[in-house]
Amino acid sequence: MKARQKPGVVFQPRVHQSLQRGIAKLVGAIRPTLGPISCGVAIDPLNSAETLPEYLDDGGVIARRIIELSNRDEDMGAMLARSMIIRQHERLGDGTATVAVLFEAIFNAGLRYIAAGGNAVMLRRHLECALPVILDALDRMVTPLAGQAALTKMALTLCHDEEMAALLGEIFDLIGEYGRLEIREDYGRGLRREYVEGTYYYTGLMSRALLPDDAVTTLSFDQPAIFVCDFEVDDHRELFPVLQAAHSSGVRALVIVARNLSEKAVSLLVANNRMDTFKVMAVKLPGLNPTERMEALEDLGRLTGATPVLSVTGDRLDTVTANHFGQARRVWADLRTFTIIGGQGDPRRLREHLQKLQAAYRNAPDVDDRKRVQQRIGTLLGGSVTLWIGGFTEPEINARKSRAERAALALRSAVEGGVVPGAGIALLNCGQLLKQRLAQATDADERAACNILIEALGVPARTILRNAGYDPSAVLADVQYEGPDAAFDVLTDRLVNTREAGILDSVQVLKASVRNAISTAGMALTIDSLVHLSRPEIIGKPE
Amino acid sequence: MTTTTNINIQPDAVYALARSGANLYAARASGCYRSQDGGVTWRNLFATLDTPLAATAVVAAGDTVLAGVKGAVLRSDDAGESWQTVGLSAPPPLVAALAVSPNYAEDGIVAAGTSDAGVFVSTDRGASWIPWNFGLVDQHVYTLAFSPDFAADGTLFAGTESGIFRSHNGGRSWREVPFPMDAAPVLSLSISPAFRRDGRLYAGTEAHGLWLSDDGGSTWQRILRDRATAAVNAIQVTPAGVVWLLLEDGLIGSSDAGHTWDRSYSFPPDRLALTLLAGEPSTMLVGFSNGDVLPAG
């Protein structure tokens, strides 16, 4: 039986102290993962059947595993940080440890200022006002990331796996920011990639009966007409006008894309294929829900030049003519997928459609929308890549796949937005613009906010060095003497030029890190009391 | 232009001209022709083939000649005496343009633009072809142009029905160039010999004249406004920086990157000029719709 926790309200100074302890516990677990020479974290398995602890080196996954702290006050601090880190992880796949240490540094310094009599609300306002200065400073450092060699170097700093980095560099050189990449587990021991020509969808033939015999698994038509609709055809007679239109217009092959066909309708197509007229295949309309299906209809229409026939708008199959048909150079399908090669839609309309999708991608409100739009763009660009991840054991494959997914996400954002010096140097350099702002500031809260941020922006670089066993102060003094593009490479134990050495960070990742850290820290600093509601006590809380 | 020599070949359109050493090649509707006397007499090199084929594009490097036909690129290693057919992927696309890498002797790269199947690239001197169309959402390709600095920048441009695409990795993937879609189709492209320094790129369109970019294709301005609607079938930029434009009814030249056109030659009105063979004015040749190949200068 679960005991119920008592409701309660907590006031200062306990609020800030508890939040600070909770944040310190969560960030403390993630801090060792920052940098190329980092340590991992072992998670005690909840399932007693598993004897080995789970080993993790990704801040986002570690944060996910920390579900609750036993102290309710501390738990609220930890969950604030957790939510921020997971948001960063989901959206960008990188920068979780950076955002964690940055957030903690701002929060702790802010607490000290408030304890000394500073105003929390004004401090928060000035922290947020300083954000554009930092983002502007990062923008000034941006250079585009292009070319296979540069991409490979960047990938290596993300995944620390030379074989994987070489493949990711090659892949992103081809697909750019929007291209379609799938990362899958493989039975082999190594890594391999597979390039697929054309636009393919994860829906296949309506029925095995459409294949000419059991030995054939794929049906391929050259220069087929393509009919696209959202109908679920129960009565096979509904297809007569479509077949009649194809027959009268002299097409030699027809592809029907529909939501579903009944067995009788499929039998009609099979019977048609036995005659020496024209061949027909039917594939399922892609999409799991009405929205995705409408998007697929629109995309297929643009790609092939077909005019989709929509049951939802009252269209009827008996009005179908050859004018509704699109065309492609080739279409092939098996039971799971179908691929269109060389859609013959109007290229101008297709490019305009892609431009609209790219605008939608940039303005997408959340991760899922963004990902869905990116997949649509990638699909329409006419090619895709699959990176197959192998290994000796299942845990190894899973860990490598997870690393590849994170690296791919971060690499995509780097290709899209450009890169800045890595190893925490870009953030450290942002301090220069803040110092100018500090020199002009007269308000005590504004000066405090600038000082807090100048100090905090150096924390990621210091943490990377400390994790690698170096004295940050001594090393950073040398780095700053060398210039804004210099960094200390902890792997080679020497000062390097970040762009030449490929020690780079995605500017989008860093911007998101700074934005998340300042926003969350500002909010945490203005929390003045905690309210606990009554809720069941969870047994087996991780500490 | 003063018409000096009317070369007597079959009356069918000349789609492309190529030169290698003393050999001249012409891709024509009736086959691929060779002249070894500066264009005075021509021999149909496809006459020995089992079936007659229309050649729609031709390039040559040394004794290697590549001729584009429907569905294939024919390759010869003996200046066109014998041919090997290398098929492109089915269904057979029409080869509209062939282009040879400036470093062909070392890298062996050739690109083929097709009218409905995008770009095929060969890295083994035309022995095999791979369709590399990632990002090339418009696969109606009319013209291709390699960067003069291709070995270093891997840059290749494709002029298409809806605009221009650029590849920075030798044609393996493509990105849109912000060329105005309303001005397309792009029939001809030419890159300045000093492209690395000046980033200059010329695009000739079917009905919207000539366009110039001074930054590698990022921004475009329209030039040649007095011949605004003329189809620009070919462009040549000489090492000295003179820009030659082949319009349907004449050849014009500019010494100041297309701002003023101070050289002009007109053609007889009964034929359309379709293709231009690069060279100095005295050695330039023009191919016409009626099968004539005439010196340009």
Side-chain angles (χ1 to χ4, degrees), chain B residues 37-81:
Chain B
D37 53 10
V40 178
T41 59
W42 295 82
R43 179 162 76 91
N44 187 352
L45 301 169
F46 283 2
T48 56
L49 300 178
D50 295 338
T51 50
L53 288 173
T56 49
V58 65
V59 287
D63 278 343
T64 301
V65 188
L66 298 163
V69 300
K70 186 165 176 61
V73 175
L74 270 60
R75 177 173 180 264
S76 169
D77 289 324
D78 51 12
E81 293 299 324

mmCIF file of all heavy atoms in Angstrom, chain B residues 37-81:
data_model
loop_
_atom_site.group_PDB
_atom_site.id
_atom_site.type_symbol
_atom_site.label_atom_id
_atom_site.label_comp_id
_atom_site.label_asym_id
_atom_site.label_seq_id
_atom_site.Cartn_x
_atom_site.Cartn_y
_atom_site.Cartn_z
ATOM 1 N N ASP B 37 40.158 17.980 -91.086
ATOM 2 C CA ASP B 37 40.742 19.047 -91.901
ATOM 3 C C ASP B 37 40.136 20.401 -91.546
ATOM 4 O O ASP B 37 39.828 21.201 -92.436
ATOM 5 C CB ASP B 37 40.543 18.719 -93.387
ATOM 6 C CG ASP B 37 39.080 18.421 -93.710
ATOM 7 O OD1 ASP B 37 38.220 18.668 -92.825
ATOM 8 O OD2 ASP B 37 38.801 17.934 -94.812
ATOM 9 N N GLY B 38 39.911 20.589 -90.262
ATOM 10 C CA GLY B 38 39.409 21.890 -89.809
ATOM 11 C C GLY B 38 37.963 22.135 -90.158
ATOM 12 O O GLY B 38 37.508 23.275 -90.136
ATOM 13 N N GLY B 39 37.208 21.080 -90.475
ATOM 14 C CA GLY B 39 35.781 21.240 -90.729
ATOM 15 C C GLY B 39 35.405 21.309 -92.182
ATOM 16 O O GLY B 39 34.254 21.588 -92.525
ATOM 17 N N VAL B 40 36.354 21.032 -93.072
ATOM 18 C CA VAL B 40 36.043 21.075 -94.505
ATOM 19 C C VAL B 40 35.253 19.833 -94.906
ATOM 20 O O VAL B 40 34.209 19.907 -95.559
ATOM 21 C CB VAL B 40 37.337 21.192 -95.339
ATOM 22 C CG1 VAL B 40 37.027 21.178 -96.831
ATOM 23 C CG2 VAL B 40 38.094 22.449 -94.942
ATOM 24 N N THR B 41 35.728 18.676 -94.504
ATOM 25 C CA THR B 41 34.992 17.439 -94.796
ATOM 26 C C THR B 41 34.695 16.705 -93.504
ATOM 27 O O THR B 41 35.471 16.789 -92.531
ATOM 28 C CB THR B 41 35.819 16.508 -95.713
ATOM 29 O OG1 THR B 41 37.047 16.204 -95.054
ATOM 30 C CG2 THR B 41 36.080 17.167 -97.052
ATOM 31 N N TRP B 42 33.590 15.989 -93.502
ATOM 32 C CA TRP B 42 33.141 15.293 -92.294
ATOM 33 C C TRP B 42 32.804 13.840 -92.621
ATOM 34 O O TRP B 42 32.329 13.543 -93.706
ATOM 35 C CB TRP B 42 31.894 15.974 -91.717
ATOM 36 C CG TRP B 42 32.155 17.375 -91.224
ATOM 37 C CD1 TRP B 42 32.211 18.517 -91.963
ATOM 38 C CD2 TRP B 42 32.400 17.762 -89.873
ATOM 39 N NE1 TRP B 42 32.475 19.592 -91.173
ATOM 40 C CE2 TRP B 42 32.584 19.175 -89.867
ATOM 41 C CE3 TRP B 42 32.474 17.098 -88.656
ATOM 42 C CZ2 TRP B 42 32.852 19.897 -88.709
ATOM 43 C CZ3 TRP B 42 32.719 17.811 -87.501
ATOM 44 C CH2 TRP B 42 32.907 19.194 -87.525
ATOM 45 N N ARG B 43 33.047 12.968 -91.645
ATOM 46 C CA ARG B 43 32.688 11.548 -91.827
ATOM 47 C C ARG B 43 31.806 11.112 -90.666
ATOM 48 O O ARG B 43 32.106 11.429 -89.502
ATOM 49 C CB ARG B 43 33.965 10.697 -91.851
ATOM 50 C CG ARG B 43 33.696 9.208 -92.017
ATOM 51 C CD ARG B 43 34.957 8.488 -92.471
ATOM 52 N NE ARG B 43 35.932 8.301 -91.408
ATOM 53 C CZ ARG B 43 35.972 7.228 -90.631
ATOM 54 N NH1 ARG B 43 35.081 6.268 -90.770
ATOM 55 N NH2 ARG B 43 36.900 7.115 -89.706
ATOM 56 N N ASN B 44 30.732 10.388 -90.978
ATOM 57 C CA ASN B 44 29.824 9.910 -89.925
ATOM 58 C C ASN B 44 30.444 8.692 -89.237
ATOM 59 O O ASN B 44 30.543 7.613 -89.826
ATOM 60 C CB ASN B 44 28.459 9.549 -90.522
ATOM 61 C CG ASN B 44 27.454 9.216 -89.424
ATOM 62 O OD1 ASN B 44 27.805 9.109 -88.246
ATOM 63 N ND2 ASN B 44 26.191 9.065 -89.822
ATOM 64 N N LEU B 45 30.830 8.866 -87.991
ATOM 65 C CA LEU B 45 31.487 7.782 -87.263
ATOM 66 C C LEU B 45 30.504 6.712 -86.816
ATOM 67 O O LEU B 45 30.900 5.617 -86.439
ATOM 68 C CB LEU B 45 32.211 8.359 -86.041
ATOM 69 C CG LEU B 45 33.273 9.411 -86.350
ATOM 70 C CD1 LEU B 45 33.730 10.098 -85.076
ATOM 71 C CD2 LEU B 45 34.463 8.786 -87.060
ATOM 72 N N PHE B 46 29.206 7.030 -86.844
ATOM 73 C CA PHE B 46 28.191 6.043 -86.463
ATOM 74 C C PHE B 46 27.759 5.180 -87.652
ATOM 75 O O PHE B 46 26.899 4.320 -87.505
ATOM 76 C CB PHE B 46 26.951 6.736 -85.902
ATOM 77 C CG PHE B 46 27.101 7.227 -84.475
ATOM 78 C CD1 PHE B 46 28.297 7.074 -83.780
ATOM 79 C CD2 PHE B 46 26.034 7.830 -83.819
ATOM 80 C CE1 PHE B 46 28.423 7.535 -82.476
ATOM 81 C CE2 PHE B 46 26.147 8.282 -82.508
ATOM 82 C CZ PHE B 46 27.347 8.144 -81.834
ATOM 83 N N ALA B 47 28.337 5.431 -88.789
ATOM 84 C CA ALA B 47 27.918 4.685 -89.984
ATOM 85 C C ALA B 47 28.200 3.197 -89.834
ATOM 86 O O ALA B 47 27.522 2.358 -90.437
ATOM 87 C CB ALA B 47 28.637 5.231 -91.215
ATOM 88 N N THR B 48 29.173 2.867 -89.005
ATOM 89 C CA THR B 48 29.515 1.450 -88.845
ATOM 90 C C THR B 48 28.644 0.747 -87.808
ATOM 91 O O THR B 48 28.742 -0.470 -87.630
ATOM 92 C CB THR B 48 30.986 1.321 -88.401
ATOM 93 O OG1 THR B 48 31.149 2.094 -87.207
ATOM 94 C CG2 THR B 48 31.935 1.823 -89.470
ATOM 95 N N LEU B 49 27.826 1.486 -87.106
ATOM 96 C CA LEU B 49 26.981 0.863 -86.071
ATOM 97 C C LEU B 49 25.849 0.066 -86.714
ATOM 98 O O LEU B 49 25.433 0.359 -87.843
ATOM 99 C CB LEU B 49 26.398 1.930 -85.142
ATOM 100 C CG LEU B 49 27.398 2.792 -84.367
ATOM 101 C CD1 LEU B 49 26.666 3.828 -83.528
ATOM 102 C CD2 LEU B 49 28.278 1.925 -83.475
ATOM 103 N N ASP B 50 25.328 -0.915 -85.981
ATOM 104 C CA ASP B 50 24.258 -1.764 -86.522
ATOM 105 C C ASP B 50 22.989 -0.969 -86.777
ATOM 106 O O ASP B 50 22.281 -1.215 -87.744
ATOM 107 C CB ASP B 50 23.960 -2.901 -85.536
ATOM 108 C CG ASP B 50 25.158 -3.829 -85.411
ATOM 109 O OD1 ASP B 50 25.971 -3.829 -86.353
ATOM 110 O OD2 ASP B 50 25.284 -4.517 -84.387
ATOM 111 N N THR B 51 22.685 -0.038 -85.815
ATOM 112 C CA THR B 51 21.473 0.769 -85.987
ATOM 113 C C THR B 51 21.862 2.241 -86.016
ATOM 114 O O THR B 51 22.759 2.653 -85.283
ATOM 115 C CB THR B 51 20.493 0.544 -84.821
ATOM 116 O OG1 THR B 51 21.213 0.692 -83.598
ATOM 117 C CG2 THR B 51 19.857 -0.811 -84.885
ATOM 118 N N PRO B 52 21.193 3.015 -86.829
ATOM 119 C CA PRO B 52 21.504 4.443 -86.854
ATOM 120 C C PRO B 52 21.079 5.101 -85.547
ATOM 121 O O PRO B 52 20.028 4.784 -84.990
ATOM 122 C CB PRO B 52 20.672 4.966 -88.029
ATOM 123 C CG PRO B 52 19.620 3.953 -88.266
ATOM 124 C CD PRO B 52 20.136 2.643 -87.791
ATOM 125 N N LEU B 53 21.930 5.982 -85.062
ATOM 126 C CA LEU B 53 21.655 6.654 -83.804
ATOM 127 C C LEU B 53 21.832 8.151 -83.975
ATOM 128 O O LEU B 53 22.715 8.595 -84.702
ATOM 129 C CB LEU B 53 22.619 6.178 -82.715
ATOM 130 C CG LEU B 53 22.440 4.778 -82.143
ATOM 131 C CD1 LEU B 53 23.595 4.447 -81.211
ATOM 132 C CD2 LEU B 53 21.122 4.671 -81.389
ATOM 133 N N ALA B 54 20.980 8.904 -83.280
ATOM 134 C CA ALA B 54 21.155 10.355 -83.248
ATOM 135 C C ALA B 54 22.091 10.690 -82.101
ATOM 136 O O ALA B 54 21.887 10.231 -80.972
ATOM 137 C CB ALA B 54 19.812 11.037 -83.048
ATOM 138 N N ALA B 55 23.124 11.467 -82.388
ATOM 139 C CA ALA B 55 24.018 11.926 -81.322
ATOM 140 C C ALA B 55 23.532 13.293 -80.843
ATOM 141 O O ALA B 55 23.300 14.189 -81.656
ATOM 142 C CB ALA B 55 25.449 12.010 -81.828
ATOM 143 N N THR B 56 23.356 13.415 -79.538
ATOM 144 C CA THR B 56 22.819 14.669 -78.995
ATOM 145 C C THR B 56 23.855 15.450 -78.204
ATOM 146 O O THR B 56 23.593 16.582 -77.792
ATOM 147 C CB THR B 56 21.618 14.365 -78.084
ATOM 148 O OG1 THR B 56 22.006 13.333 -77.173
ATOM 149 C CG2 THR B 56 20.424 13.909 -78.902
ATOM 150 N N ALA B 57 24.989 14.855 -77.960
ATOM 151 C CA ALA B 57 26.059 15.556 -77.240
ATOM 152 C C ALA B 57 27.370 14.868 -77.570
ATOM 153 O O ALA B 57 27.389 13.667 -77.861
ATOM 154 C CB ALA B 57 25.815 15.526 -75.736
ATOM 155 N N VAL B 58 28.450 15.626 -77.527
ATOM 156 C CA VAL B 58 29.755 15.012 -77.768
ATOM 157 C C VAL B 58 30.834 15.786 -77.016
ATOM 158 O O VAL B 58 30.764 17.015 -76.891
ATOM 159 C CB VAL B 58 30.069 14.942 -79.289
ATOM 160 C CG1 VAL B 58 30.220 16.335 -79.893
ATOM 161 C CG2 VAL B 58 31.332 14.121 -79.568
ATOM 162 N N VAL B 59 31.788 15.042 -76.450
ATOM 163 C CA VAL B 59 32.985 15.645 -75.867
ATOM 164 C C VAL B 59 34.181 14.783 -76.256
ATOM 165 O O VAL B 59 34.027 13.596 -76.578
ATOM 166 C CB VAL B 59 32.918 15.750 -74.314
ATOM 167 C CG1 VAL B 59 31.956 16.831 -73.877
ATOM 168 C CG2 VAL B 59 32.579 14.414 -73.688
ATOM 169 N N ALA B 60 35.347 15.388 -76.227
ATOM 170 C CA ALA B 60 36.542 14.639 -76.607
ATOM 171 C C ALA B 60 37.718 15.066 -75.751
ATOM 172 O O ALA B 60 37.825 16.233 -75.361
ATOM 173 C CB ALA B 60 36.856 14.879 -78.086
ATOM 174 N N ALA B 61 38.558 14.115 -75.433
ATOM 175 C CA ALA B 61 39.797 14.392 -74.703
ATOM 176 C C ALA B 61 40.831 13.389 -75.188
ATOM 177 O O ALA B 61 40.668 12.177 -74.988
ATOM 178 C CB ALA B 61 39.571 14.250 -73.194
ATOM 179 N N GLY B 62 41.860 13.876 -75.842
ATOM 180 C CA GLY B 62 42.829 12.963 -76.443
ATOM 181 C C GLY B 62 42.131 12.154 -77.527
ATOM 182 O O GLY B 62 41.338 12.685 -78.308
ATOM 183 N N ASP B 63 42.356 10.855 -77.535
ATOM 184 C CA ASP B 63 41.684 10.000 -78.511
ATOM 185 C C ASP B 63 40.347 9.483 -78.001
ATOM 186 O O ASP B 63 39.658 8.739 -78.692
ATOM 187 C CB ASP B 63 42.590 8.804 -78.866
ATOM 188 C CG ASP B 63 43.631 9.207 -79.913
ATOM 189 O OD1 ASP B 63 43.417 10.261 -80.559
ATOM 190 O OD2 ASP B 63 44.633 8.490 -80.056
ATOM 191 N N THR B 64 40.029 9.835 -76.760
ATOM 192 C CA THR B 64 38.746 9.394 -76.210
ATOM 193 C C THR B 64 37.639 10.346 -76.653
ATOM 194 O O THR B 64 37.749 11.564 -76.508
ATOM 195 C CB THR B 64 38.799 9.355 -74.668
ATOM 196 O OG1 THR B 64 39.839 8.463 -74.273
ATOM 197 C CG2 THR B 64 37.481 8.903 -74.083
ATOM 198 N N VAL B 65 36.590 9.764 -77.203
ATOM 199 C CA VAL B 65 35.422 10.540 -77.616
ATOM 200 C C VAL B 65 34.207 9.929 -76.932
ATOM 201 O O VAL B 65 34.056 8.706 -76.882
ATOM 202 C CB VAL B 65 35.220 10.486 -79.148
ATOM 203 C CG1 VAL B 65 34.121 11.449 -79.565
ATOM 204 C CG2 VAL B 65 36.500 10.803 -79.877
ATOM 205 N N LEU B 66 33.370 10.787 -76.376
ATOM 206 C CA LEU B 66 32.129 10.323 -75.760
ATOM 207 C C LEU B 66 30.984 11.010 -76.479
ATOM 208 O O LEU B 66 30.987 12.234 -76.637
ATOM 209 C CB LEU B 66 32.099 10.674 -74.276
ATOM 210 C CG LEU B 66 33.198 10.022 -73.425
ATOM 211 C CD1 LEU B 66 33.339 10.739 -72.098
ATOM 212 C CD2 LEU B 66 32.888 8.554 -73.191
ATOM 213 N N ALA B 67 30.014 10.212 -76.897
ATOM 214 C CA ALA B 67 28.862 10.767 -77.613
ATOM 215 C C ALA B 67 27.589 10.341 -76.892
ATOM 216 O O ALA B 67 27.403 9.161 -76.585
ATOM 217 C CB ALA B 67 28.849 10.275 -79.052
ATOM 218 N N GLY B 68 26.734 11.304 -76.638
ATOM 219 C CA GLY B 68 25.480 11.000 -75.965
ATOM 220 C C GLY B 68 24.408 10.656 -76.964
ATOM 221 O O GLY B 68 24.265 11.333 -77.989
ATOM 222 N N VAL B 69 23.665 9.580 -76.671
ATOM 223 C CA VAL B 69 22.526 9.187 -77.493
ATOM 224 C C VAL B 69 21.371 8.885 -76.544
ATOM 225 O O VAL B 69 21.513 9.029 -75.334
ATOM 226 C CB VAL B 69 22.854 7.940 -78.360
ATOM 227 C CG1 VAL B 69 24.014 8.234 -79.281
ATOM 228 C CG2 VAL B 69 23.167 6.741 -77.486
ATOM 229 N N LYS B 70 20.244 8.475 -77.050
ATOM 230 C CA LYS B 70 19.129 8.175 -76.160
ATOM 231 C C LYS B 70 19.426 6.898 -75.376
ATOM 232 O O LYS B 70 19.622 5.828 -75.944
ATOM 233 C CB LYS B 70 17.838 7.999 -76.956
ATOM 234 C CG LYS B 70 16.620 7.834 -76.063
ATOM 235 C CD LYS B 70 15.347 8.022 -76.844
ATOM 236 C CE LYS B 70 14.119 7.753 -75.980
ATOM 237 N NZ LYS B 70 14.006 8.641 -74.829
ATOM 238 N N GLY B 71 19.518 7.025 -74.062
ATOM 239 C CA GLY B 71 19.684 5.860 -73.196
ATOM 240 C C GLY B 71 21.102 5.407 -72.992
ATOM 241 O O GLY B 71 21.336 4.428 -72.271
ATOM 242 N N ALA B 72 22.079 6.071 -73.620
ATOM 243 C CA ALA B 72 23.446 5.576 -73.480
ATOM 244 C C ALA B 72 24.454 6.665 -73.810
ATOM 245 O O ALA B 72 24.116 7.707 -74.375
ATOM 246 C CB ALA B 72 23.672 4.381 -74.412
ATOM 247 N N VAL B 73 25.677 6.384 -73.402
ATOM 248 C CA VAL B 73 26.811 7.194 -73.848
ATOM 249 C C VAL B 73 27.733 6.253 -74.613
ATOM 250 O O VAL B 73 28.107 5.194 -74.106
ATOM 251 C CB VAL B 73 27.557 7.829 -72.659
ATOM 252 C CG1 VAL B 73 28.797 8.570 -73.142
ATOM 253 C CG2 VAL B 73 26.647 8.786 -71.900
ATOM 254 N N LEU B 74 28.039 6.617 -75.846
ATOM 255 C CA LEU B 74 28.957 5.794 -76.643
ATOM 256 C C LEU B 74 30.378 6.308 -76.429
ATOM 257 O O LEU B 74 30.613 7.524 -76.447
ATOM 258 C CB LEU B 74 28.592 5.859 -78.126
ATOM 259 C CG LEU B 74 27.599 4.800 -78.593
ATOM 260 C CD1 LEU B 74 26.287 4.897 -77.842
ATOM 261 C CD2 LEU B 74 27.370 4.891 -80.093
ATOM 262 N N ARG B 75 31.274 5.372 -76.225
ATOM 263 C CA ARG B 75 32.642 5.738 -75.876
ATOM 264 C C ARG B 75 33.606 5.138 -76.896
ATOM 265 O O ARG B 75 33.482 3.969 -77.267
ATOM 266 C CB ARG B 75 32.944 5.175 -74.483
ATOM 267 C CG ARG B 75 34.334 5.398 -73.973
ATOM 268 C CD ARG B 75 34.364 4.920 -72.510
ATOM 269 N NE ARG B 75 35.678 5.090 -71.933
ATOM 270 C CZ ARG B 75 36.594 4.143 -71.875
ATOM 271 N NH1 ARG B 75 36.345 2.955 -72.393
ATOM 272 N NH2 ARG B 75 37.754 4.378 -71.310
ATOM 273 N N SER B 76 34.528 5.955 -77.323
ATOM 274 C CA SER B 76 35.537 5.470 -78.262
ATOM 275 C C SER B 76 36.920 5.860 -77.736
ATOM 276 O O SER B 76 37.121 6.976 -77.265
ATOM 277 C CB SER B 76 35.311 6.098 -79.642
ATOM 278 O OG SER B 76 36.425 5.831 -80.466
ATOM 279 N N ASP B 77 37.846 4.934 -77.813
ATOM 280 C CA ASP B 77 39.219 5.229 -77.400
ATOM 281 C C ASP B 77 40.150 5.438 -78.587
ATOM 282 O O ASP B 77 41.356 5.598 -78.414
ATOM 283 C CB ASP B 77 39.761 4.082 -76.521
ATOM 284 C CG ASP B 77 39.087 4.087 -75.167
ATOM 285 O OD1 ASP B 77 38.793 5.184 -74.656
ATOM 286 O OD2 ASP B 77 38.841 2.990 -74.622
ATOM 287 N N ASP B 78 39.578 5.389 -79.797
ATOM 288 C CA ASP B 78 40.423 5.542 -80.980
ATOM 289 C C ASP B 78 39.862 6.621 -81.902
ATOM 290 O O ASP B 78 39.727 6.413 -83.109
ATOM 291 C CB ASP B 78 40.554 4.195 -81.712
ATOM 292 C CG ASP B 78 39.194 3.560 -81.961
ATOM 293 O OD1 ASP B 78 38.171 4.263 -81.778
ATOM 294 O OD2 ASP B 78 39.139 2.375 -82.320
ATOM 295 N N ALA B 79 39.519 7.724 -81.300
ATOM 296 C CA ALA B 79 39.046 8.900 -82.043
ATOM 297 C C ALA B 79 37.819 8.599 -82.892
ATOM 298 O O ALA B 79 37.637 9.168 -83.964
ATOM 299 C CB ALA B 79 40.175 9.481 -82.892
ATOM 300 N N GLY B 80 36.991 7.675 -82.425
ATOM 301 C CA GLY B 80 35.708 7.437 -83.078
ATOM 302 C C GLY B 80 35.696 6.324 -84.101
ATOM 303 O O GLY B 80 34.674 6.103 -84.757
ATOM 304 N N GLU B 81 36.783 5.609 -84.235
ATOM 305 C CA GLU B 81 36.817 4.517 -85.213
ATOM 306 C C GLU B 81 35.961 3.339 -84.746
ATOM 307 O O GLU B 81 35.330 2.664 -85.544
ATOM 308 C CB GLU B 81 38.260 4.052 -85.445
ATOM 309 C CG GLU B 81 39.142 5.092 -86.126
ATOM 310 C CD GLU B 81 38.614 5.473 -87.512
ATOM 311 O OE1 GLU B 81 38.078 4.588 -88.206
ATOM 312 O OE2 GLU B 81 38.711 6.665 -87.887
#
